[in-house]
mmCIF file with all atom_site columns, all heavy atoms in Angstrom:
data_model
loop_
_atom_site.group_PDB
_atom_site.id
_atom_site.type_symbol
_atom_site.label_atom_id
_atom_site.label_alt_id
_atom_site.label_comp_id
_atom_site.label_asym_id
_atom_site.label_entity_id
_atom_site.label_seq_id
_atom_site.pdbx_PDB_ins_code
_atom_site.Cartn_x
_atom_site.Cartn_y
_atom_site.Cartn_z
_atom_site.occupancy
_atom_site.B_iso_or_equiv
_atom_site.pdbx_formal_charge
_atom_site.auth_seq_id
_atom_site.auth_comp_id
_atom_site.auth_asym_id
_atom_site.auth_atom_id
_atom_site.pdbx_PDB_model_num
ATOM   1   N N   . ARG I 1 70  ? -20.645 12.473 22.293 1.00 0.00 ? 75  ARG I N   1
ATOM   2   C CA  . ARG I 1 70  ? -19.460 11.663 22.536 1.00 0.00 ? 75  ARG I CA  1
ATOM   3   C C   . ARG I 1 70  ? -19.894 10.205 22.700 1.00 0.00 ? 75  ARG I C   1
ATOM   4   O O   . ARG I 1 70  ? -20.853 9.933  23.423 1.00 0.00 ? 75  ARG I O   1
ATOM   5   C CB  . ARG I 1 70  ? -18.798 12.157 23.813 1.00 0.00 ? 75  ARG I CB  1
ATOM   6   C CG  . ARG I 1 70  ? -17.367 11.802 23.917 1.00 0.00 ? 75  ARG I CG  1
ATOM   7   C CD  . ARG I 1 70  ? -16.652 12.788 24.805 1.00 0.00 ? 75  ARG I CD  1
ATOM   8   N NE  . ARG I 1 70  ? -16.269 13.993 24.070 1.00 0.00 ? 75  ARG I NE  1
ATOM   9   C CZ  . ARG I 1 70  ? -15.629 14.998 24.642 1.00 0.00 ? 75  ARG I CZ  1
ATOM   10  N NH1 . ARG I 1 70  ? -15.336 14.980 25.916 1.00 0.00 ? 75  ARG I NH1 1
ATOM   11  N NH2 . ARG I 1 70  ? -15.287 16.039 23.907 1.00 0.00 ? 75  ARG I NH2 1
ATOM   12  N N   . GLY I 1 71  ? -19.226 9.329  21.999 1.00 0.00 ? 76  GLY I N   1
ATOM   13  C CA  . GLY I 1 71  ? -19.541 7.916  22.144 1.00 0.00 ? 76  GLY I CA  1
ATOM   14  C C   . GLY I 1 71  ? -20.773 7.450  21.388 1.00 0.00 ? 76  GLY I C   1
ATOM   15  O O   . GLY I 1 71  ? -21.176 6.299  21.490 1.00 0.00 ? 76  GLY I O   1
ATOM   16  N N   . ALA I 1 72  ? -21.381 8.330  20.593 1.00 0.00 ? 77  ALA I N   1
ATOM   17  C CA  . ALA I 1 72  ? -22.589 7.937  19.856 1.00 0.00 ? 77  ALA I CA  1
ATOM   18  C C   . ALA I 1 72  ? -22.255 6.902  18.782 1.00 0.00 ? 77  ALA I C   1
ATOM   19  O O   . ALA I 1 72  ? -23.131 6.140  18.352 1.00 0.00 ? 77  ALA I O   1
ATOM   20  C CB  . ALA I 1 72  ? -23.241 9.153  19.217 1.00 0.00 ? 77  ALA I CB  1
ATOM   21  N N   . GLY I 1 73  ? -21.010 6.897  18.338 1.00 0.00 ? 78  GLY I N   1
ATOM   22  C CA  . GLY I 1 73  ? -20.619 5.923  17.325 1.00 0.00 ? 78  GLY I CA  1
ATOM   23  C C   . GLY I 1 73  ? -20.260 6.568  15.999 1.00 0.00 ? 78  GLY I C   1
ATOM   24  O O   . GLY I 1 73  ? -20.365 5.934  14.945 1.00 0.00 ? 78  GLY I O   1
ATOM   25  N N   . LYS I 1 74  ? -19.793 7.816  16.026 1.00 0.00 ? 79  LYS I N   1
ATOM   26  C CA  . LYS I 1 74  ? -19.434 8.510  14.781 1.00 0.00 ? 79  LYS I CA  1
ATOM   27  C C   . LYS I 1 74  ? -18.231 7.843  14.111 1.00 0.00 ? 79  LYS I C   1
ATOM   28  O O   . LYS I 1 74  ? -18.277 7.514  12.931 1.00 0.00 ? 79  LYS I O   1
ATOM   29  C CB  . LYS I 1 74  ? -19.129 9.997  15.086 1.00 0.00 ? 79  LYS I CB  1
ATOM   30  C CG  . LYS I 1 74  ? -20.324 10.735 15.697 1.00 0.00 ? 79  LYS I CG  1
ATOM   31  C CD  . LYS I 1 74  ? -20.012 12.178 16.021 1.00 0.00 ? 79  LYS I CD  1
ATOM   32  C CE  . LYS I 1 74  ? -19.012 12.357 17.163 1.00 0.00 ? 79  LYS I CE  1
ATOM   33  N NZ  . LYS I 1 74  ? -19.458 11.847 18.466 1.00 0.00 ? 79  LYS I NZ  1
ATOM   34  N N   . SER I 1 75  ? -17.181 7.631  14.907 1.00 0.00 ? 80  SER I N   1
ATOM   35  C CA  . SER I 1 75  ? -15.994 6.989  14.328 1.00 0.00 ? 80  SER I CA  1
ATOM   36  C C   . SER I 1 75  ? -16.308 5.561  13.899 1.00 0.00 ? 80  SER I C   1
ATOM   37  O O   . SER I 1 75  ? -15.830 5.089  12.861 1.00 0.00 ? 80  SER I O   1
ATOM   38  C CB  . SER I 1 75  ? -14.851 6.988  15.342 1.00 0.00 ? 80  SER I CB  1
ATOM   39  O OG  . SER I 1 75  ? -14.580 8.300  15.763 1.00 0.00 ? 80  SER I OG  1
ATOM   40  N N   . SER I 1 76  ? -17.131 4.884  14.696 1.00 0.00 ? 81  SER I N   1
ATOM   41  C CA  . SER I 1 76  ? -17.492 3.504  14.342 1.00 0.00 ? 81  SER I CA  1
ATOM   42  C C   . SER I 1 76  ? -18.255 3.460  13.033 1.00 0.00 ? 81  SER I C   1
ATOM   43  O O   . SER I 1 76  ? -18.110 2.517  12.248 1.00 0.00 ? 81  SER I O   1
ATOM   44  C CB  . SER I 1 76  ? -18.343 2.881  15.443 1.00 0.00 ? 81  SER I CB  1
ATOM   45  O OG  . SER I 1 76  ? -17.619 2.843  16.646 1.00 0.00 ? 81  SER I OG  1
ATOM   46  N N   . VAL I 1 89  ? -11.522 4.671  17.467 1.00 0.00 ? 94  VAL I N   1
ATOM   47  C CA  . VAL I 1 89  ? -12.783 4.481  18.166 1.00 0.00 ? 94  VAL I CA  1
ATOM   48  C C   . VAL I 1 89  ? -12.535 4.558  19.662 1.00 0.00 ? 94  VAL I C   1
ATOM   49  O O   . VAL I 1 89  ? -11.468 4.190  20.139 1.00 0.00 ? 94  VAL I O   1
ATOM   50  C CB  . VAL I 1 89  ? -13.371 3.097  17.784 1.00 0.00 ? 94  VAL I CB  1
ATOM   51  C CG1 . VAL I 1 89  ? -14.420 2.656  18.785 1.00 0.00 ? 94  VAL I CG1 1
ATOM   52  C CG2 . VAL I 1 89  ? -13.941 3.151  16.391 1.00 0.00 ? 94  VAL I CG2 1
ATOM   53  N N   . GLY I 1 90  ? -13.516 5.037  20.403 1.00 0.00 ? 95  GLY I N   1
ATOM   54  C CA  . GLY I 1 90  ? -13.409 5.060  21.855 1.00 0.00 ? 95  GLY I CA  1
ATOM   55  C C   . GLY I 1 90  ? -13.068 6.433  22.377 1.00 0.00 ? 95  GLY I C   1
ATOM   56  O O   . GLY I 1 90  ? -12.927 7.380  21.616 1.00 0.00 ? 95  GLY I O   1
ATOM   57  N N   . ARG I 1 117 ? -17.959 16.240 17.143 1.00 0.00 ? 122 ARG I N   1
ATOM   58  C CA  . ARG I 1 117 ? -17.836 15.775 18.519 1.00 0.00 ? 122 ARG I CA  1
ATOM   59  C C   . ARG I 1 117 ? -17.634 16.946 19.497 1.00 0.00 ? 122 ARG I C   1
ATOM   60  O O   . ARG I 1 117 ? -16.891 17.875 19.231 1.00 0.00 ? 122 ARG I O   1
ATOM   61  C CB  . ARG I 1 117 ? -16.632 14.824 18.564 1.00 0.00 ? 122 ARG I CB  1
ATOM   62  C CG  . ARG I 1 117 ? -16.090 14.557 19.887 1.00 0.00 ? 122 ARG I CG  1
ATOM   63  C CD  . ARG I 1 117 ? -14.687 13.947 19.850 1.00 0.00 ? 122 ARG I CD  1
ATOM   64  N NE  . ARG I 1 117 ? -14.411 13.086 18.704 1.00 0.00 ? 122 ARG I NE  1
ATOM   65  C CZ  . ARG I 1 117 ? -13.385 13.275 17.891 1.00 0.00 ? 122 ARG I CZ  1
ATOM   66  N NH1 . ARG I 1 117 ? -12.604 14.298 18.026 1.00 0.00 ? 122 ARG I NH1 1
ATOM   67  N NH2 . ARG I 1 117 ? -13.171 12.452 16.911 1.00 0.00 ? 122 ARG I NH2 1
ATOM   68  N N   . HIS I 1 193 ? -25.910 1.422  18.301 1.00 0.00 ? 198 HIS I N   1
ATOM   69  C CA  . HIS I 1 193 ? -25.917 0.548  19.470 1.00 0.00 ? 198 HIS I CA  1
ATOM   70  C C   . HIS I 1 193 ? -27.235 -0.221 19.633 1.00 0.00 ? 198 HIS I C   1
ATOM   71  O O   . HIS I 1 193 ? -27.635 -0.514 20.763 1.00 0.00 ? 198 HIS I O   1
ATOM   72  C CB  . HIS I 1 193 ? -25.665 1.344  20.762 1.00 0.00 ? 198 HIS I CB  1
ATOM   73  C CG  . HIS I 1 193 ? -24.285 1.953  20.872 1.00 0.00 ? 198 HIS I CG  1
ATOM   74  N ND1 . HIS I 1 193 ? -23.879 3.020  20.101 1.00 0.00 ? 198 HIS I ND1 1
ATOM   75  C CD2 . HIS I 1 193 ? -23.229 1.633  21.664 1.00 0.00 ? 198 HIS I CD2 1
ATOM   76  C CE1 . HIS I 1 193 ? -22.635 3.346  20.415 1.00 0.00 ? 198 HIS I CE1 1
ATOM   77  N NE2 . HIS I 1 193 ? -22.214 2.525  21.360 1.00 0.00 ? 198 HIS I NE2 1
ATOM   78  N N   . ASP I 1 195 ? -27.807 -3.158 19.145 1.00 0.00 ? 200 ASP I N   1
ATOM   79  C CA  . ASP I 1 195 ? -27.519 -4.469 19.739 1.00 0.00 ? 200 ASP I CA  1
ATOM   80  C C   . ASP I 1 195 ? -27.699 -4.439 21.262 1.00 0.00 ? 200 ASP I C   1
ATOM   81  O O   . ASP I 1 195 ? -27.926 -5.464 21.874 1.00 0.00 ? 200 ASP I O   1
ATOM   82  C CB  . ASP I 1 195 ? -26.098 -4.915 19.374 1.00 0.00 ? 200 ASP I CB  1
ATOM   83  C CG  . ASP I 1 195 ? -25.052 -3.853 19.735 1.00 0.00 ? 200 ASP I CG  1
ATOM   84  O OD1 . ASP I 1 195 ? -25.247 -2.679 19.352 1.00 0.00 ? 200 ASP I OD1 1
ATOM   85  O OD2 . ASP I 1 195 ? -24.065 -4.206 20.404 1.00 0.00 ? 200 ASP I OD2 1
ATOM   86  N N   . THR I 1 252 ? -23.192 -0.665 14.267 1.00 0.00 ? 257 THR I N   1
ATOM   87  C CA  . THR I 1 252 ? -21.968 -0.429 13.481 1.00 0.00 ? 257 THR I CA  1
ATOM   88  C C   . THR I 1 252 ? -20.760 -1.083 14.136 1.00 0.00 ? 257 THR I C   1
ATOM   89  O O   . THR I 1 252 ? -19.628 -0.796 13.775 1.00 0.00 ? 257 THR I O   1
ATOM   90  C CB  . THR I 1 252 ? -21.695 1.086  13.363 1.00 0.00 ? 257 THR I CB  1
ATOM   91  O OG1 . THR I 1 252 ? -21.686 1.644  14.681 1.00 0.00 ? 257 THR I OG1 1
ATOM   92  C CG2 . THR I 1 252 ? -22.748 1.779  12.535 1.00 0.00 ? 257 THR I CG2 1
HETATM 93  N N1  . GTP F 2 .   ? -22.323 -2.375 21.233 1.00 0.00 ? 24  GTP F N1  1
HETATM 94  C C1  . GTP F 2 .   ? -22.044 -1.416 20.360 1.00 0.00 ? 24  GTP F C1  1
HETATM 95  N N2  . GTP F 2 .   ? -20.987 -0.638 20.553 1.00 0.00 ? 24  GTP F N2  1
HETATM 96  C C2  . GTP F 2 .   ? -20.722 0.315  19.665 1.00 0.00 ? 24  GTP F C2  1
HETATM 97  C C3  . GTP F 2 .   ? -21.520 0.529  18.509 1.00 0.00 ? 24  GTP F C3  1
HETATM 98  N N3  . GTP F 2 .   ? -20.999 1.561  17.810 1.00 0.00 ? 24  GTP F N3  1
HETATM 99  C C4  . GTP F 2 .   ? -19.930 1.976  18.500 1.00 0.00 ? 24  GTP F C4  1
HETATM 100 N N4  . GTP F 2 .   ? -19.757 1.232  19.625 1.00 0.00 ? 24  GTP F N4  1
HETATM 101 C C5  . GTP F 2 .   ? -18.754 1.413  20.674 1.00 0.00 ? 24  GTP F C5  1
HETATM 102 O O1  . GTP F 2 .   ? -19.031 2.631  21.325 1.00 0.00 ? 24  GTP F O1  1
HETATM 103 C C6  . GTP F 2 .   ? -17.836 3.295  21.700 1.00 0.00 ? 24  GTP F C6  1
HETATM 104 C C7  . GTP F 2 .   ? -17.817 4.700  21.122 1.00 0.00 ? 24  GTP F C7  1
HETATM 105 O O2  . GTP F 2 .   ? -17.810 4.594  19.726 1.00 0.00 ? 24  GTP F O2  1
HETATM 106 P P1  . GTP F 2 .   ? -17.110 5.683  18.810 1.00 0.00 ? 24  GTP F P1  1
HETATM 107 O O3  . GTP F 2 .   ? -17.310 5.250  17.409 1.00 0.00 ? 24  GTP F O3  1
HETATM 108 O O4  . GTP F 2 .   ? -15.725 5.917  19.255 1.00 0.00 ? 24  GTP F O4  1
HETATM 109 O O5  . GTP F 2 .   ? -18.010 6.942  19.127 1.00 0.00 ? 24  GTP F O5  1
HETATM 110 P P2  . GTP F 2 .   ? -17.764 8.456  18.676 1.00 0.00 ? 24  GTP F P2  1
HETATM 111 O O6  . GTP F 2 .   ? -19.094 9.050  18.425 1.00 0.00 ? 24  GTP F O6  1
HETATM 112 O O7  . GTP F 2 .   ? -16.775 8.510  17.587 1.00 0.00 ? 24  GTP F O7  1
HETATM 113 O O8  . GTP F 2 .   ? -17.152 9.046  20.024 1.00 0.00 ? 24  GTP F O8  1
HETATM 114 P P3  . GTP F 2 .   ? -16.250 10.391 20.195 1.00 0.00 ? 24  GTP F P3  1
HETATM 115 O O9  . GTP F 2 .   ? -15.219 10.364 19.128 1.00 0.00 ? 24  GTP F O9  1
HETATM 116 O O10 . GTP F 2 .   ? -15.678 10.277 21.552 1.00 0.00 ? 24  GTP F O10 1
HETATM 117 O O11 . GTP F 2 .   ? -17.197 11.531 20.101 1.00 0.00 ? 24  GTP F O11 1
HETATM 118 C C8  . GTP F 2 .   ? -16.720 2.422  21.211 1.00 0.00 ? 24  GTP F C8  1
HETATM 119 O O12 . GTP F 2 .   ? -16.268 1.631  22.258 1.00 0.00 ? 24  GTP F O12 1
HETATM 120 C C9  . GTP F 2 .   ? -17.374 1.558  20.131 1.00 0.00 ? 24  GTP F C9  1
HETATM 121 O O13 . GTP F 2 .   ? -16.747 0.316  19.992 1.00 0.00 ? 24  GTP F O13 1
HETATM 122 C C10 . GTP F 2 .   ? -22.658 -0.316 18.331 1.00 0.00 ? 24  GTP F C10 1
HETATM 123 O O14 . GTP F 2 .   ? -23.436 -0.212 17.367 1.00 0.00 ? 24  GTP F O14 1
HETATM 124 N N5  . GTP F 2 .   ? -22.852 -1.279 19.280 1.00 0.00 ? 24  GTP F N5  1
#
Side-chain angles (χ1 to χ4, degrees):
R75 202 154 277 180
K79 300 179 292 297
S80 304
S81 299
V94 162
R122 163 196 328 125
H198 294 71
D200 53 310
T257 53

